[in-house]
């Protein structure tokens, strides 16, 4: 994916007008239709990498939890964007104000991200209402970015003039798009409302990924800013999410304390013994190398679109262990 | 395009002028830089002559503008502004036309000085690859800018730069082409004309003390700043930098060199036109403003029967 050239006024104007035309309205979803609780939210891998031997009911519960985790992860990350707006965005534009359209596109980017966070949050509330689950209990299992070391490190990097934020954004946007591609192959098995939300989200994320690449292009072209950040921020952006994702995923172990409260939690709690069939090292290895959705986020070898901007910026790159499928140029596989 | 000249405060002052058809159009005043002349605005003059009355003065000592090296003051921004004012008084004696001013390189210093001096008459300011003196002086604390502006220091050495430029005009202009990627020579100044540019730099540097004083007020005139990303002589502006001197600033950086208006004339012309059209006061808007002012003025005058003794 290549970002728009920030020094090309015509392509910026085209992108701006296209984006204005194609924005989705958050009230346009079929909220009244509710959620089909018999269906999956995210298709799972056939091999049951982390939960070997899971039954059909367990797989549906895991899939629904996974879907909520993905929603909440994206929502949390997108909700924390406004905190970074000044340091990661306004300061960059102030140093190298190449075109007013870049600022307008950026304002749109932040507004739309806030809109995504609201839509995903609303889905979670709807899920809790329809299943009768206490929202507080559900949130205890879901990732939280607010106040995390991950968020603090990204903010600190931005305050010092770094750009790890934009590398994180490109990663999240790219994975969001690939999540939808995985879903699109199993549309009939997925809750229609969840599918609809992710479809619209994917369309806007494609444009947002473009904007993140545009910002990285701008930073590469800017005569200002410290060279050290251009060198190291790619690695920082790749490494920072890893401990956060793993620690937040491990919250699934908390489900035991809610098992008596709702059948959904009970089913999830019944999958924990399946995980214990694997050693911790093996679980980490599988999560890192080939677990759908998760490995895409924490293993940069799955992401193809970092190469070009990293070359432009002269960024240092760290070798990460690769899955064979990456070498074969395969897309992310689910089942 | 026509070339004209008048006597401005005792010295012949020349300019290039172009206006297709109706001469009632607003004026687009273009100040060239160094080592250039008004022909450097060729692409802009041809394009804008249809809807604007384009006027491009020669800097002191270049072309039709008589040199005056024994009076450094005649090379200062204030003097250039007075010369331009004399030109416009000749073209528009009733001062009916609005003025939009544009500058490139050193010409930006002159354009900015014009906008400050005639703020009420100036409706827009376009800066291409240049700064006003205040901005340049603030950059005295920027090491990278010092490195790029090495030639300015060379020009302050009395006799050195003048001799070099007079004796070797073609190699010196070729140097500008090599260093700054100047587009193919569209004009070649003589050695004597090149040497005149040195006096401009010296006259400007004598204004540093004034320029370093805190700016009292920001320019209210809308400003458009256009830059080439590969400018070999100047670092592009930051938003904070320009916001110190003007209220309404739009910055555009394009892929290109210091002579971006020559390198990409169509693109630059379209951006300038967009800016001019956005800030153009037409006859209709002028009439409505005048009507509003007149109506308000009438309201404030009491009727004779209402006055009290």
């Amino acid at each position: 994916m290549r970002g728009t050239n920030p020094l090309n006024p015509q392509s910026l104007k085209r992108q701006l007008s296209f984006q204005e035309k194609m924005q989705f309205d958050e009230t346009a979803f079929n909220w009244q239709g509710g959620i089909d609780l018999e269906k999956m939210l995210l298709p799972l891998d056939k091999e049951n990498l982390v939960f070997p031997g899971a039954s059909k009911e367990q797989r549906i519960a895991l899939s629904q939890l996974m879907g909520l985790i993905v929603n909440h992860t994206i929502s949390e990350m997108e909700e924390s964007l406004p905190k970074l707006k000044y340091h990661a965005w306004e300061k960059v534009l102030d140093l190298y104000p190449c075109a007013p359209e870049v600022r307008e596109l950026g304002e749109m980017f932040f507004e739309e991200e806030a809109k995504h966070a609201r839509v995903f949050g609303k889905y979670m509330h709807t899920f809790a209402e329809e299943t009768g689950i206490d929202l507080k209990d559900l949130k205890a299992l879901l990732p939280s970015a607010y106040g995390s070391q991950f968020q603090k490190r990204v903010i600190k990097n931005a305050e010092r003039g770094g750009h790890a934020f934009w590398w994180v954004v490109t990663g999240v946007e790219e994975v969001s798009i690939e999540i939808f591609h995985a879903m699109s192959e199993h549309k009939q098995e997925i809750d229609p409302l969840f599918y609809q939300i992710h479809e619209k989200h994917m369309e806007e994320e494609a444009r947002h990924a473009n904007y993140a690449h545009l910002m990285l292009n701008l930073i590469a072209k800017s005569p200002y800013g410290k060279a050290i950040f251009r060198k190291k921020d790619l690695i920082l952006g790749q490494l920072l999410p890893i401990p956060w994702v793993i620690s937040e995923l491990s919250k699934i172990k908390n489900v035991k304390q809610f098992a008596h409260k709702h059948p959904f939690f009970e089913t999830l709690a019944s999958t924990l013994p399946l995980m214990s069939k694997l050693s911790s090292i093996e679980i980490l290895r599988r999560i890192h190398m080939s677990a759908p959705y998760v490995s895409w986020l924490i293993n940069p070898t799955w992401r193809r679109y970092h190469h070009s901007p990293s070359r432009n910026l002269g960024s240092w790159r760290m070798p990460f262990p690769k899955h064979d499928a990456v070498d074969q140029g395969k897309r992310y596989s689910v089942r | 395009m026509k070339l004209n000249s008048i006597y401005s405060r005792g010295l012949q002052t020349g300019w290039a002028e172009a206006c297709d058809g109706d001469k009632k159009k607003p004026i687009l005043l273009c100040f060239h830089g160094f080592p250039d002349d008004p022909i450097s605005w060729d692409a802009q003059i041809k394009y804008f002559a249809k809807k604007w009355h384009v006027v491009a003065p020669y800097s002191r000592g270049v072309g039709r503008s008589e040199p005056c090296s024994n009076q450094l003051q005649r090379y200062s921004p204030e003097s250039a502004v007075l010369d331009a004012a004399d030109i416009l008084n000749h073209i528009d004696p009733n001062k009916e036309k609005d003025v939009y001013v544009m500058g490139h390189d050193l010409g930006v210093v002159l354009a900015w000085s014009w906008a400050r001096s005639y703020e009420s008459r100036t409706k827009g300011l376009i800066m291409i690859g240049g700064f006003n003196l205040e901005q340049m002086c603030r950059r005295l604390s920027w090491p990278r800018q010092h490195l790029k502006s090495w030639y300015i220091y060379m020009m302050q050495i009395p006799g050195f730069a003048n001799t070099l430029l007079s004796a070797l005009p073609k190699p010196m202009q070729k140097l500008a082409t090599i260093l700054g990627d100047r587009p193919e020579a569209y004009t070649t100044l003589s050695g004597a004309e090149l040497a005149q540019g040195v006096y401009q730099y010296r006259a400007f540097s004598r204004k540093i003390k004034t320029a370093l004083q805190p700016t009292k007020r920001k320019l209210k005139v809308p400003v458009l700043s256009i830059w080439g990303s590969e400018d070999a002589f100047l670092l592009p502006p930051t938003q904070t930098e320009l916001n110190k001197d003007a209220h309404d600033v739009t910055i555009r950086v394009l892929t290109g060199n210091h002579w971006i208006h020559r390198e990409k004339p169509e693109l630059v012309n379209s951006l300038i036109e967009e800016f001019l059209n956005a800030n153009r006061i037409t006859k209709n808007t002028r009439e409505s403003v005048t009507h509003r002012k007149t109506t308000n003025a009438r309201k404030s005058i009491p009727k004779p029967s209402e006055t009290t003794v």
Side-chain angles (χ1 to χ4, degrees):
Chain A
M1 174 172 305
R2 298 170 115 197
T4 306
N5 183 354
L7 305 187
N8 185 333
Q10 287 120 338
S11 50
L12 286 173
K13 285 182 193 337
R14 264 198 307 273
Q15 187 176 339
L16 188 60
S17 97
F18 179 73
Q19 226 162 285
E20 279 167 350
K21 207 169 75 175
M22 301 302 287
Q23 283 177 310
F24 75 77
D25 180 358
E26 61 190 285
T27 60
F29 296 108
N30 182 18
W31 297 105
Q32 284 73 34
I35 296 172
D36 187 342
L37 295 170
E38 300 301 313
K39 289 197 168 168
M40 292 194 169
L41 295 187
L42 279 185
L44 295 181
D45 56 299
K46 196 162 53 174
E47 295 84 13
N48 291 330
L49 279 174
V50 183
F51 298 95
S55 68
K56 190 182 169 194
E57 289 74 25
Q58 285 174 325
R59 282 172 63 81
I60 288 177
L62 283 169
S63 159
Q64 289 175 345
L65 179 67
M66 202 63 217
L68 293 173
I69 286 174
V70 162
N71 276 11
H72 201 63
T73 304
I74 295 171
S75 172
E76 284 279 296
M77 285 191 170
E78 291 178 351
E79 240 182 47
S80 55
L81 287 180
K83 294 178 184 53
L84 287 145
K85 191 176 174 186
Y86 172 70
H87 289 289
W89 179 69
E90 279 195 49
K91 269 168 56 174
V92 175
L93 292 193
D94 185 65
L95 268 185
Y96 199 48
C98 56
E101 289 83 12
V102 172
R103 187 171 285 274
E104 287 178 53
L105 285 167
E107 291 288 2
M108 214 181 281
F109 167 83
F110 285 102
E111 278 167 21
E112 288 177 354
E113 293 292 351
K115 179 178 69 178
H116 298 167
R118 287 194 298 272
V119 169
F120 286 129
K122 190 168 178 179
Y123 186 89
M124 189 177 65
H125 282 251
T126 308
F127 184 89
E129 269 173 25
E130 297 215 355
T131 52
I133 290 174
D134 186 346
L135 193 61
K136 205 171 127 198
D137 294 341
L138 185 59
K139 280 187 177 177
L141 302 181
L142 300 179
S144 169
Y146 182 75
S148 65
Q149 281 299 316
F150 169 41
Q151 188 193 46
K152 285 178 185 169
R153 293 265 173 264
V154 173
I155 291 174
K156 203 143 198 103
N157 171 265
E159 282 170 357
R160 287 179 181 157
H163 320 297
F165 168 77
W166 291 109
W167 289 112
V168 172
V169 169
T170 58
V172 170
E173 314 295 21
E174 196 181 327
V175 169
S176 300
I177 294 165
E178 294 297 337
I179 286 173
F180 180 74
H181 283 140
M183 285 168 60
S184 63
E185 292 167 15
H186 305 278
K187 186 177 175 181
Q188 303 310 319
E189 298 162 49
I190 292 172
D191 167 50
L193 179 60
F194 188 84
Y195 187 90
Q196 191 190 14
I197 289 171
H198 275 266
E199 186 178 24
K200 290 293 174 197
H201 180 246
M202 183 275 297
E203 286 167 8
E204 284 198 350
E205 291 299 81
R207 295 195 293 276
H208 290 179
N210 190 304
Y211 189 76
H213 282 272
L214 184 156
M215 286 302 295
L216 289 170
N217 271 344
L218 183 66
I219 290 159
K221 290 176 194 299
S222 168
Y224 305 112
K226 293 181 185 165
I228 187 65
F229 290 120
R230 291 175 207 217
K231 295 284 181 200
K232 71 176 184 64
D233 281 350
L234 168 60
I235 295 177
L236 201 61
Q238 290 173 336
L239 289 177
L240 279 176
I242 297 173
W244 179 75
V245 168
I246 292 172
S247 70
E248 295 302 306
L249 281 178
S250 65
K251 281 183 177 177
I252 190 172
K253 293 183 181 164
N254 296 341
V255 78
K256 274 191 263 184
Q257 51 187 282
F258 305 120
H260 63 283
K261 289 191 176 182
H262 195 278
F264 177 68
F265 293 134
E266 194 183 348
T267 312
L268 283 173
S270 69
T271 64
L272 291 179
L274 301 176
M275 263 176 74
S276 60
K277 287 182 188 174
L278 303 168
S279 67
S280 304
I281 304 281
E282 182 58 23
I283 291 173
L284 280 174
R285 193 191 72 81
R286 290 186 183 195
I287 284 174
H288 190 74
M289 293 292 284
S290 55
Y293 317 117
V294 182
S295 67
W296 306 350
L297 190 58
I298 64 176
N299 189 340
T301 56
W302 281 110
R303 295 204 290 277
R304 296 169 285 167
Y305 299 118
H306 275 171
H307 301 305
S308 171
S310 68
R311 266 199 305 273
N312 290 344
L313 279 158
S315 302
W316 293 325
R317 287 163 62 182
M318 206 165 106
F320 283 87
K322 261 196 274 194
H323 190 268
D324 290 340
V326 174
D327 276 332
Q328 291 156 21
K330 286 186 179 167
R331 289 185 75 87
Y332 313 128
S333 68
V334 176
R335 59 177 189 168
Chain B
M1 181 163 57
K2 288 188 298 184
L3 301 179
N4 296 319
S5 61
I6 53 167
Y7 275 89
S8 168
R9 296 171 295 133
L11 290 176
Q12 185 173 1
T13 306
W15 73 93
E17 187 179 351
C19 183
D20 295 349
D22 180 16
K23 287 222 169 181
K24 290 183 184 170
K25 299 168 193 165
I27 293 170
L28 180 59
L29 181 59
C30 310
F31 291 103
H32 67 83
F34 174 82
D36 295 326
D37 64 8
I39 313 302
S40 69
W41 291 115
D42 188 41
Q44 283 69 47
I45 292 173
K46 278 185 192 145
Y47 185 83
F48 288 104
K50 296 171 207 142
K51 291 186 186 172
W52 302 82
H53 187 158
V54 186
V55 176
Y58 282 87
S59 287
R60 183 57 53 206
V62 176
R64 290 181 165 225
S65 286
E66 193 180 336
C68 184
S69 42
N70 58 346
Q71 287 183 55
L72 199 60
Q73 176 57 25
R74 292 305 298 258
Y75 294 85
S76 68
E78 292 81 12
S79 186
V81 164
L82 287 172
D83 292 340
D86 283 343
I87 293 170
L88 292 202
N89 286 342
H90 176 78
I91 292 170
D92 176 29
N94 299 329
K95 295 190 177 64
E96 287 171 339
K97 298 185 185 185
D98 292 326
V99 177
Y100 296 77
V101 63
M102 182 157 71
H104 168 251
D105 186 69
L106 278 190
V108 170
V109 177
L110 308 183
W112 195 281
S113 297
W114 171 277
R116 273 225 185 275
S117 305
Y118 298 99
E119 199 164 352
S120 57
R121 198 176 167 197
T122 308
K123 304 304 170 196
L125 165 61
I126 299 152
M127 305 159 53
I128 302 178
F131 287 125
N132 63 33
L133 270 181
E134 288 86 355
Q135 288 158 355
M136 213 46 217
C137 291
R138 274 187 234 122
R139 287 189 169 206
L140 288 172
S141 60
W142 294 26
R144 283 178 67 191
Q145 187 57 69
H146 280 285
L147 283 172
K148 283 183 171 250
S149 305
W150 59 271
Y151 55 94
I152 298 179
Y153 302 114
M154 187 188 78
M155 298 211 186
Q156 306 304 318
I157 305 170
F160 173 67
N162 308 62
T163 312
L164 202 60
L165 290 167
S166 314
L168 304 165
K170 281 190 181 160
M172 289 291 109
Q173 287 183 88
K174 183 104 176 122
L175 190 62
T177 306
I178 293 167
L179 290 176
D181 210 10
R182 189 175 180 228
E184 284 300 316
Y186 44 85
T187 181
T188 306
L189 300 182
S190 67
E193 286 172 326
L194 272 184
Q196 295 299 310
V198 175
Y199 294 114
Q200 250 191 334
Y201 279 100
R202 292 220 192 109
F204 289 5
S205 68
R206 273 145 182 80
K207 300 286 170 187
I208 287 177
K209 209 173 161 185
T210 320
L212 280 172
Q213 284 167 9
T215 310
K216 299 260 185 318
R217 58 180 176 83
K218 291 187 188 179
L219 210 58
K220 287 181 188 166
V221 173
V223 175
L224 170 66
S225 178
I226 300 177
W227 285 84
S229 59
E230 313 299 325
D231 193 316
F233 306 110
L234 294 168
L235 292 165
T238 68
Q239 192 71 52
T240 312
E241 201 182 4
L242 283 180
N243 284 351
K244 284 181 185 162
D245 297 317
H247 285 286
D248 177 5
V249 179
T250 305
I251 300 171
R252 286 206 175 267
V253 180
L254 311 173
T255 309
N257 63 31
H258 182 64
W259 283 272
I260 189 72
H261 62 304
R262 300 288 306 176
E263 192 186 0
K264 296 193 171 168
E266 294 89 10
L267 179 57
V268 171
N269 289 348
S270 71
L271 294 173
I272 294 171
E273 188 173 28
E274 190 186 343
F275 173 78
L276 291 173
N277 289 340
N279 292 289
R280 186 164 176 170
I281 295 183
T282 62
K283 188 179 169 220
N284 289 340
T285 50
R286 191 199 307 277
E287 277 174 355
S288 68
V289 167
T290 311
H291 172 75
R292 206 165 45 243
K293 279 184 182 169
T294 313
T295 310
N296 288 342
R298 273 202 217 110
K299 278 180 188 169
S300 65
I301 300 171
K303 291 179 187 170
S305 59
E306 287 172 5
T307 51
T308 56
V309 178

